[in-house]
């Protein structure tokens, strides 16, 4: 019984780490985009357009998943 519990605990730990990496990469990409927009004002509109398209895509995906 104890072995099964330990197995599921380890399985949960592995699953959590993978999700954390994805979030870290997304945050890093966001920070780089914000920094690039602050340093180079000409890129700010392009970055804004990209974020708007991503937000629209996520909204459509969420609506289809419901």
């Amino acid at each position: 019984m104890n072995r099964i519990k330990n197995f599921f605990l380890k399985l949960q730990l592995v699953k959590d780490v993978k999700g954390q990496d994805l979030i870290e990469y997304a945050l890093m990409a966001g920070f780089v985009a914000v920094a690039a927009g602050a340093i180079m004002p000409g890129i700010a509109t392009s970055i804004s357009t990209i974020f708007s398209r991503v937000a629209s895509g996520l909204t459509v995906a969420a609506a289809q998943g419901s």
Side-chain angles (χ1 to χ4, degrees), residues 22 26 50-66:
L22 180 63
I50 291 169
F51 278 128
S52 296
R53 288 182 182 174
V54 169
S56 298
L58 290 174
T59 302
V60 169
Q64 289 177 350
S66 298

Side-chain angles (χ1 to χ4, degrees), residues 36-45:
I39 293 171
M40 299 172 271
I43 296 180
T45 55

Side-chain angles (χ1 to χ4, degrees), residues 10-61:
K10 288 178 185 178
L11 186 63
Q12 183 67 30
L13 186 65
V14 170
K15 192 164 77 172
D16 288 345
V17 171
K18 289 182 180 179
Q20 182 180 355
D21 288 342
L22 180 63
I23 292 171
E24 288 173 356
Y25 287 130
L27 285 173
M28 187 61 70
F31 288 140
V32 168
V34 169
I39 293 171
M40 299 172 271
I43 296 180
T45 55
S46 299
I47 293 171
S48 177
T49 303
I50 291 169
F51 278 128
S52 296
R53 288 182 182 174
V54 169
S56 298
L58 290 174
T59 302
V60 169

